Amino acid sequence: MNEVIQVIRQHRSIRKFKNIPLTGEQIEAIIDAAQMAPTSAHMQPFSIIGVTDQELLKKIAARSENPWIEECGYFFIFCADLHRMMLAAAPDQQEKMGANLNFSYFYQTAVLSSALALQNANLAAESMGLGAVIIGGITGALPELDQWLELPDFVIPLVGLAVGVPDEFPEQKPRLPRSAVFFENQYNHDLKAQVQRYDREIEEYYGARTNNKQKASWSGKFIAMLDKDLPLGGYTEYVRSKGFDLK
Amino acid sequence: MNEVIQVIRQHRSIRKFKNIPLTGEQIEAIIDAAQMAPTSAHMQPFSIIGVTDQELLKKIAARSENPWIEECGYFFIFCADLHRMMLAAAPDQQEKMGANLNFSYFYQTAVLSSALALQNANLAAESMGLGAVIIGGITGALPELDQWLELPDFVIPLVGLAVGVPDEFPEQKPRLPRSAVFFENQYNHDLKAQVQRYDREIEEYYGARTNNKQKASWSGKFIAMLDKDLPLGGYTEYVRSKGFDLK
């Protein structure tokens, strides 16, 4: 097994870090790795904001309900960015371009390309012996985060990446069986029994693991999450307010 | 520089393949790598469809206007998948869950997590000496692709990944300068001059490269792409038809 596949297979999200800041070289290696990801039409539709201001970190951590943001060695925010590619256009061109970016297709493309860059960053960090965790909770800091980082239209913070020297070595979560995720030529419509077996496996894993034991199955977590009224309309409103109408 | 960062930095999209099919071991290593990516709440919201049926490949290639689909060693389609996690729920729970998945937040989460898996797959392929190219053009085969692959609601094909033994070694496209992509604490609102310098660099690159010479700047390509009427509303209609209302 080559070193790349080894690093990929050893992945675990790290949520406990030693109190050691990243070096400038580590930060640059992570950003350069992100920039080497392929992107649709070479659009490079992402920006990375490093948060070093302690007051700002505290505010983001509190609103995200996420202590790792303050405790890691460096905190990156990955943003979808379709602003930069319009800068050299004339004002009337920018207007027309912005109207086209209202199509959900471009929003999807920007999110997808940003995530390719993010995973390069994540693996680059892991390959240097660092640990990392992707933090979706930063959406809890919207829309203010947007003002704090002074983000223009067509730039949306997607997730954070907290990186640092690991101070834990958690178990790996079992994945869905390959046969429930990979199909040839046609989707398999007979997956329920496989999912239920996996539910039992995850239940055992959560009940037996060292940290954060809990009684939950895989499906059970999503039923608990989604079988109730969720107040998420504000997120779409926010996305629309940044110029992405999802039309 | 470690092997992971080396593979990341050597990336180029490969669009010319030797006529050699992938081995079963290679295919499994690529899928297993995809499955090891982190995903929001361990949702694993993606499915991978390998297309081996020659008739199906031909149809997808034609509709995507993409010959590499037929010429590579193996063709994967990466789908966002929020269907599987509802399978163990009772019918009334499924209904409530589906209503919540209408929020654009979940659509974004599924796209982002699918792309993390995709980049793991891409790098795993590259680490084994294979080449790959991500193919956004499969959206040209929608909505029929959906029927051909028998995809249920809440499953959307995002992009293809054509993998094979490389039969070319193209130049690397220059990236945006790091200072135009990475900022500390605040977005830089004074990027226009940097973008214009980069436009000249890309113009030189396109004019000098061995294959597919063209006269275009970076910004110029997006102005040409977006400063006209685009018929992309159908894509959003398709997304909505699969259960993602983007509300």
Side-chain angles (χ1 to χ4, degrees):
Chain A
M1 200 187 301
N2 68 54
E3 205 177 305
V4 176
I5 292 181
Q6 264 176 47
V7 167
I8 285 173
R9 292 178 74 112
Q10 280 164 11
H11 165 75
R12 46 264 284 164
S13 295
I14 297 298
R15 295 182 173 84
K16 194 161 185 281
F17 300 101
K18 292 187 177 155
N19 185 16
I20 302 171
L22 260 61
T23 66
E25 288 72 24
Q26 288 171 327
I27 295 168
E28 289 185 1
I30 289 168
I31 297 161
D32 291 351
Q35 287 200 254
M36 286 313 297
T39 60
S40 178
H42 202 42
M43 213 180 264
Q44 305 168 74
F46 60 89
S47 285
I48 305 171
I49 320 263
V51 185
T52 57
D53 180 291
Q54 291 304 312
E55 281 309 300
L56 189 49
L57 268 181
K58 247 189 239 309
K59 289 196 287 189
I60 298 171
R63 285 287 295 276
S64 311
E65 302 182 10
N66 229 308
W68 309 297
I69 289 173
E70 276 186 89
E71 292 163 7
C72 65
Y74 198 88
F75 185 63
F76 300 92
I77 294 180
F78 277 72
C79 305
D81 186 336
L82 293 172
H83 162 74
R84 191 173 35 227
M85 69 186 203
M86 291 197 282
L87 284 175
D92 60 319
Q93 292 176 319
Q94 285 181 348
E95 199 175 324
K96 183 75 182 170
M97 292 170 87
N100 276 315
L101 296 182
N102 278 326
F103 288 119
S104 69
Y105 178 76
F106 288 108
Y107 171 73
Q108 174 183 305
T109 298
V111 171
L112 192 146
S113 291
S114 300
L116 300 175
L118 169 64
Q119 183 58 0
N120 265 10
N122 194 12
L123 289 172
E126 291 179 340
S127 76
M128 295 187 289
L130 298 167
V133 59
I134 297 174
I135 296 182
I138 63 160
T139 51
L142 291 171
E144 285 82 355
L145 184 56
D146 210 37
Q147 296 161 20
W148 300 338
L149 304 176
E150 299 183 14
L151 303 179
D153 277 357
F154 298 109
V155 179
I156 291 185
L158 298 172
V159 292
L161 182 69
V163 183
V165 178
D167 197 21
E168 63 168 359
F169 191 70
E171 288 98 338
Q172 279 190 315
K173 281 202 202 82
R175 263 52 181 176
L176 282 159
R178 192 197 291 140
S179 58
V181 170
F182 172 69
F183 319 107
E184 280 193 328
N185 301 311
Q186 269 109 34
Y187 197 90
N188 179 356
H189 286 258
D190 195 18
L191 289 174
K192 190 172 168 181
Q194 280 197 68
V195 166
Q196 288 174 323
R197 273 196 301 279
Y198 179 64
D199 278 342
R200 298 295 80 79
E201 188 185 346
I202 283 285
E203 212 162 39
E204 276 172 37
Y205 162 79
Y206 281 140
R209 72 176 175 184
T210 322
N211 277 319
N212 194 18
K213 274 198 198 359
Q214 48 183 295
K215 191 167 162 41
S217 71
W218 185 69
S219 299
K221 279 190 95 151
F222 303 119
I223 295 172
M225 181 198 287
L226 294 171
D227 185 22
K228 63 185 177 199
D229 287 328
L230 284 179
L232 281 169
Y235 187 74
T236 309
E237 249 176 70
Y238 165 74
V239 169
R240 294 209 164 108
S241 79
K242 295 307 297 285
F244 295 106
D245 255 15
L246 308 176
K247 77 178 179 188
Chain B
M1 202 187 299
N2 68 54
E3 206 176 305
V4 176
I5 292 180
Q6 263 175 48
V7 167
I8 285 173
R9 292 177 74 111
Q10 281 163 12
H11 165 75
R12 45 264 285 162
S13 295
I14 297 298
R15 296 182 173 82
K16 194 161 185 282
F17 301 101
K18 294 189 176 151
N19 186 14
I20 302 171
L22 261 60
T23 65
E25 289 72 26
Q26 289 170 326
I27 295 167
E28 290 185 0
I30 289 168
I31 297 161
D32 291 351
Q35 287 201 254
M36 286 312 297
T39 60
S40 179
H42 202 43
M43 215 180 264
Q44 304 167 75
F46 59 90
S47 285
I48 306 171
I49 319 264
V51 185
T52 56
D53 180 291
Q54 293 302 313
E55 281 310 300
L56 188 51
L57 268 181
K58 248 188 239 310
K59 288 196 288 187
I60 298 171
R63 286 286 296 276
S64 311
E65 301 182 12
N66 228 307
W68 308 296
I69 289 172
E70 276 187 90
E71 291 163 7
C72 66
Y74 198 89
F75 185 62
F76 300 92
I77 294 181
F78 277 72
C79 305
D81 186 337
L82 293 173
H83 161 75
R84 191 173 36 226
M85 70 186 204
M86 290 197 283
L87 284 175
D92 59 319
Q93 291 176 320
Q94 285 180 349
E95 198 175 323
K96 182 75 183 172
M97 292 170 87
N100 276 315
L101 296 182
N102 277 325
F103 288 119
S104 69
Y105 179 76
F106 288 108
Y107 170 73
Q108 174 184 304
T109 298
V111 171
L112 192 146
S113 291
S114 301
L116 300 176
L118 168 65
Q119 183 58 1
N120 265 10
N122 194 13
L123 289 172
E126 290 178 341
S127 76
M128 295 187 289
L130 298 167
V133 60
I134 296 174
I135 296 181
I138 62 159
T139 51
L142 292 171
E144 285 83 353
L145 182 57
D146 210 39
Q147 296 160 22
W148 299 338
L149 304 176
E150 301 184 13
L151 303 180
D153 276 359
F154 298 109
V155 179
I156 292 185
L158 297 172
V159 292
L161 182 69
V163 183
V165 178
D167 198 21
E168 64 169 358
F169 190 70
E171 289 99 337
Q172 280 189 314
K173 282 202 203 79
R175 263 51 182 177
L176 282 159
R178 191 196 293 141
S179 58
V181 169
F182 172 68
F183 318 108
E184 280 194 326
N185 302 311
Q186 267 109 36
Y187 198 90
N188 179 356
H189 287 258
D190 194 18
L191 288 174
K192 190 172 169 179
Q194 280 198 69
V195 166
Q196 286 173 325
R197 274 197 299 280
Y198 179 63
D199 279 341
R200 299 294 81 77
E201 188 185 346
I202 283 285
E203 212 163 38
E204 278 173 38
Y205 162 78
Y206 281 138
R209 70 177 175 184
T210 323
N211 276 318
N212 192 18
K213 274 199 199 356
Q214 49 183 296
K215 193 169 159 44
S217 70
W218 185 70
S219 298
K221 280 192 94 151
F222 302 117
I223 295 171
M225 180 198 289
L226 294 170
D227 185 22
K228 63 185 176 200
D229 287 326
L230 285 178
L232 281 170
Y235 187 73
T236 308
E237 249 175 69
Y238 165 74
V239 169
R240 294 210 164 107
S241 78
K242 295 307 297 285
F244 295 106
D245 256 13
L246 307 178
K247 78 178 177 188

